[in-house]
C-alpha cells in the first residue's frame, strides 16, 4: 500500500520523512519483521535417548550409541535441535552396554564355578554311597537288595540331586547327578569306580547302560535315611 501523510492524506514518496504537500513530518514505515523458522528436533537424537533408557542386557544400549553418534553428525550439518538428547543417549547407552557385558561375563564365570562345584559334589556323594555298599558287603558278604539298607543319611543328598543304585551278589553300580541339565556319573564296582573320574553322561539312562558289573538288578533311587 502507498504511504500517505497522516495529516492531509497526500501521497508520500518512498522513504519520505516530510509531506511535500503540507510539510508535516512523518515517520518512515516500519520495516517488515521476519522471524527465522525454528530448527526441528532431530529424530535420531530422540531415538538414541529413548533406547538408552530401555537397556535390555546391552542390546538397546548398542543401538542407542549408534543412533546417538549419527544424530550428533546430522545436527552439525542441519543445525537441528537435540544435541543434548544425542549426547545423553551416547553416555547412558555406553554405560548400559558396559554394564551388560559385565553382567554376562560375571554370569558366565559364576555359572562355570557353580557347575564345577555341582560336578564335584555329585561325584563325592556317589563315592559316599559306594563306600556304604562296601561296608554292607563287609558285614553281610553280599550287596543290599534295597537302597534303604545302605543307611545313607539325608544330609548326603542335595536338593536337586538324584542317585540311583543297582546291586547284585558280588557287584554294584551307582549313578547320580546334582541337578537338572547337569551331567550324570557312574561308579562301577567291577572297574573299581574308574568310570567315575573319566566319563560324563548326558542322561541317567546312558549312565545306567554303561554299567558292566555282572548280575546286578534294576536301578532304584537311593532312599535317604
Amino acid at each position: 500500500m502507498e504511504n500517505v501523510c497522516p495529516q492531509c492524506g497526500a501521497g508520500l514518496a518512498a522513504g519520505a520523512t516530510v509531506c511535500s504537500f503540507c510539510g508535516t513530518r512523518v515517520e518512515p514505515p516500519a520495516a517488515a519483521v521476519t522471524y527465522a523458522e525454528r530448527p526441528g528436533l532431530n529424530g535420531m537424537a530422540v531415538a538414541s535417548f529413548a533406547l538408552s533408557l530401555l537397556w535390555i542386557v546391552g542390546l538397546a544400549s548398542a543401538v542407542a550409541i549408534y543412533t546417538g553418534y549419527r544424530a550428533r553428525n546430522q545436527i552439525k550439518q542441519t543445525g537441528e535441535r537435540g544435541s543434548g538428547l544425542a549426547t545423553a543417549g551416547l553416555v547412558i547407552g555406553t554405560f548400559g552396554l558396559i554394564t551388560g557385558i559385565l553382567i554376562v561375563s560375571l554370569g558366565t564365570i559364576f555359572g562355570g564355578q557353580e557347575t564345577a562345584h555341582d560336578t564335584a559334589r555329585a561325584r563325592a556323594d556317589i563315592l559316599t554311597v559306594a563306600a556304604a555298599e562296601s561296608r554292607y558287603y563287609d558285614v553281610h558278604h553280599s550287596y543290599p537288595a534295597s537302597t534303604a539298607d545302605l543307611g545313607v543319611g539325608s544330609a548326603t543328598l542335595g536338593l536337586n540331586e538324584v542317585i540311583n543304585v543297582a546291586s547284585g551278589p558280588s557287584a554294584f553300580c551307582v549313578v547320580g547327578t546334582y541337578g537338572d541339565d547337569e551331567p550324570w556319573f557312574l561308579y562301577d564296582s567291577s572297574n573299581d569306580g574308574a568310570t567315575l573320574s573319566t566319563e560324563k553322561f548326558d542322561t541317567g539312562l546312558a549312565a545306567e547302560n554303561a554299567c558292566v558289573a555282572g548280575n546286578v538288578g534294576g536301578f532304584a533311587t537311593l532312599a535317604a535315611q
Side-chain angles (χ1 to χ4, degrees), residues 145-196:
S146 170
T147 60
D149 294 334
L150 291 173
V152 176
S154 58
T156 299
L157 299 179
L159 180 62
N160 297 315
E161 187 172 19
V162 178
I163 293 181
N164 298 332
V165 183
S167 302
S170 60
F172 68 89
C173 285
V174 183
V175 301
T177 183
Y178 206 73
D180 296 337
D181 301 323
E182 297 287 345
W184 284 75
F185 301 95
L186 163 67
Y187 184 103
D188 189 332
S189 66
S190 65
N191 63 14
D192 296 323
T195 309
L196 182 63

Side-chain angles (χ1 to χ4, degrees), residues 21-22 26 53 55 89 121 144 175:
F21 185 78
C22 68
V26 296
L53 298 179
W55 185 78
R121 178 69 184 271
V175 301

Side-chain angles (χ1 to χ4, degrees), residues 4-114:
V4 296
C5 175
Q7 182 66 31
C8 67
L12 299 175
T17 58
V18 177
C19 176
S20 59
F21 185 78
C22 68
T24 301
R25 175 173 290 279
V26 296
E27 294 293 334
V33 178
T34 58
Y35 296 92
E37 184 177 353
R38 190 181 185 190
L41 185 60
N42 185 274
M44 278 200 172
V46 176
S48 175
F49 181 70
L51 287 168
S52 71
L53 298 179
L54 290 178
W55 185 78
I56 307 174
V57 193
L59 297 179
S61 298
V63 182
I65 294 171
Y66 171 76
T67 53
Y69 176 78
R70 288 286 307 275
R72 285 170 61 88
N73 287 338
Q74 289 180 358
I75 289 170
K76 289 178 181 178
Q77 297 175 0
T78 64
E80 292 177 299
R81 294 179 292 118
S83 177
L85 290 175
T87 300
L90 275 171
V91 173
I92 300 174
T94 300
F95 175 78
L97 182 61
I98 293 174
T99 303
I101 292 173
L102 287 175
I103 290 175
V104 172
S105 299
L106 290 174
T108 300
I109 292 172
F110 287 112
Q113 291 177 344
E114 183 177 356

